[in-house]
């Protein structure tokens, strides 16, 4: 790989990072985070993971949609954006956890059941 190609790739990653910081400061202000998981320069595809307070946040689907629509418009090399909070079926690859509620019994990794606590009083 030539130095010129390497610099172009670093520049693309920097532009994606700057795009996230510039366009979505509310992610950080609300305790969330956004991280680049992968950039495929050949296909123009980028994968973003939202974490922290974004996991389980009710408006994170709107934030994801905004990232997807704006990034392809502002960064010409990007043709497709995959973004996830880890709560939408991509739990294993993004490291998210399923929500649980007090009194709910869930299976642990060893196949046993774990009681999450007392039932809610309502």
């Amino acid at each position: 790989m030539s130095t010129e190609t390497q610099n172009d790739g670093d520049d693309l990653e920097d532009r994606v990072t700057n795009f996230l910081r510039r366009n979505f400061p509310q992610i950080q202000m609300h305790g969330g985070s956004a991280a680049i998981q992968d950039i495929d320069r050949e296909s123009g595809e980028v994968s973003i993971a939202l974490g922290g307070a974004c996991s389980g946040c009710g408006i994170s689907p709107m934030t994801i949609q905004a990232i997807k629509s704006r990034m392809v418009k502002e960064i010409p090399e990007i043709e497709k954006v995959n973004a996830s909070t880890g709560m939408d079926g991509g739990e294993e690859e993004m490291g998210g956890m399923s929500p649980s509620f007090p009194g709910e019994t869930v299976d642990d990794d060893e196949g046993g059941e774990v009681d999450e606590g007392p039932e809610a009083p309502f």
Side-chain angles (χ1 to χ4, degrees), residues 63 87 90 103 114:
T63 303
M87 300 292 288
V114 177

Side-chain angles (χ1 to χ4, degrees), residues 8-24 27 34-41 44-49 67 70-72 74-83:
D8 289 345
D10 290 343
D11 179 53
L12 180 58
E13 187 171 337
D14 288 344
R15 287 185 290 147
V16 170
T17 299
N18 289 333
F19 167 86
L20 291 169
R21 285 185 190 142
R22 186 178 64 250
N23 287 294
F24 300 97
I27 291 173
I36 300 169
Q37 295 295 301
D38 184 53
I39 296 178
D40 185 334
R41 289 158 181 84
E45 198 167 328
V46 64
S47 296
I48 307 289
I67 290 170
R70 287 185 189 170
M71 190 179 292
V72 296
E74 290 190 31
I75 304 174
E77 295 91 336
I78 302 297
E79 295 187 27
K80 183 177 180 185
V81 178
N82 300 309

Side-chain angles (χ1 to χ4, degrees), residues 12 27-28 45 48 65 73 77 95 104-105 107 116 120:
L12 180 58
I27 291 173
Q28 287 185 324
E45 198 167 328
I48 307 289
Q65 191 57 40
K73 291 177 184 172
E77 295 91 336
E104 178 181 34
T105 302
D107 290 333
E116 291 291 317

Side-chain angles (χ1 to χ4, degrees), residues 50-99:
L50 300 180
C54 292
S55 295
C57 175
I59 64 168
S60 62
M62 289 182 281
T63 303
I64 288 171
Q65 191 57 40
I67 290 170
K68 288 180 175 184
S69 65
R70 287 185 189 170
M71 190 179 292
V72 296
K73 291 177 184 172
E74 290 190 31
I75 304 174
E77 295 91 336
I78 302 297
E79 295 187 27
K80 183 177 180 185
V81 178
N82 300 309
S84 175
T85 61
M87 300 292 288
D88 55 2
E91 295 169 10
E92 312 254 87
E93 72 181 45
M94 297 296 184
M97 295 177 60
S98 297

